[in-house]
Amino acid sequence: MSSHEVSRFGHVDLDGLPPDLAERIGAIAERSGFVPNVFRALGRRPRELRAFLDYHDALMEPADDGAGLSRAERELVVVATSGANHCTYCVVAHGAVLRIRAKDPEIADRVATNPYAVELPERERAIVDLALLVARDSEGLTDADLDTARAAGLSDDEIWDVGAITALFAMSNRLAHLTALRPNPEFFLMGRQPRA
């Protein structure tokens, strides 16, 4: 694979990462069967990759007590906002994860392509609407918007999670655009067919 098939700025393979990152990314690769290209591209700047992974994990892993957004709801935020930001890499990669976590082979495509019209349960609808508002018109966010999210069952911590995940992926989406980051082929098929 040529460097530009991952990123326009090249990439670093697993064996070229500092030991701590090689171990951390290696564990992800072991679970998934491949190294996601985002880690190969960001591996060129190890300090930034560490910071990205730390913040990503803080936001995308539910609290130890199980409170807050579910894993699928967190991915729902990523797919909706990445679609709004036209980020192919994140829509494809996190769409795969959303399909698996939601156990729904269609949800990611529906949310990424038409998030305003996709039929969703009330809570998920509120999550997507809030995420899109923060992604597209954050300066227009009002207390009434937060009250709407609360009325759909979101706690203040869950509202914060929606906003923080949206903000992190605004950055991630823009880095993917800057680098012309390409999705791994494996992502396209994940979660579309039941496992044998």
Side-chain angles (χ1 to χ4, degrees):
M1 178 179 276
S2 74
S3 292
H4 190 66
E5 289 181 351
V6 172
S7 160
R8 65 168 47 114
F9 292 98
H11 69 274
V12 176
D13 287 320
L14 194 60
D15 59 1
L17 291 171
D20 65 308
L21 287 172
E23 182 178 340
R24 195 166 178 180
I25 303 304
I28 294 168
E30 192 172 308
R31 286 192 307 272
S32 65
F34 62 97
V35 177
N37 284 343
V38 65
F39 304 132
R40 297 171 74 208
L42 293 181
R44 294 185 67 250
R45 299 174 67 108
R47 287 178 55 217
E48 292 174 34
L49 177 55
R50 281 185 197 96
F52 176 81
L53 287 168
D54 287 344
Y55 197 45
H56 174 278
D57 291 354
L59 292 177
M60 297 304 289
E61 294 296 324
D64 291 337
D65 63 4
L69 299 178
S70 70
R71 291 177 188 272
E73 289 170 337
R74 291 166 197 270
E75 295 297 338
L76 184 66
V77 173
V78 178
V79 171
T81 58
S82 296
N85 291 327
H86 309 290
C87 180
T88 301
Y89 183 89
C90 291
V91 166
V92 171
H94 288 273
V97 179
L98 175 58
R99 288 190 298 271
I100 292 166
R101 292 195 171 155
K103 296 177 177 54
D104 181 342
E106 298 179 8
I107 189 169
D109 296 326
R110 292 175 189 267
V111 169
T113 58
N114 197 354
Y116 295 103
V118 63
E119 290 184 28
L120 296 167
E122 181 184 14
R123 179 181 165 86
E124 291 178 9
R125 175 82 267 150
I127 289 169
V128 167
D129 288 347
L130 180 59
L132 291 170
L133 180 58
V134 173
R136 291 192 161 166
D137 187 27
S138 59
E139 69 277 11
L141 183 69
T142 67
D143 288 342
D145 296 316
L146 301 184
D147 288 341
T148 298
R150 288 181 188 110
L154 296 179
S155 69
D156 282 357
D157 280 342
E158 290 171 330
I159 290 169
W160 185 288
D161 285 343
V162 171
I165 292 166
T166 299
L168 174 65
F169 279 89
M171 181 200 75
S172 181
N173 297 159
R174 282 148 183 82
L175 280 174
H177 291 149
L178 173 70
T179 61
L181 188 59
R182 297 198 181 166
N184 301 68
E186 294 90 343
F187 283 128
F188 289 93
L189 297 178
M190 290 171 60
R192 295 195 185 275
Q193 294 291 328
R195 287 187 172 182

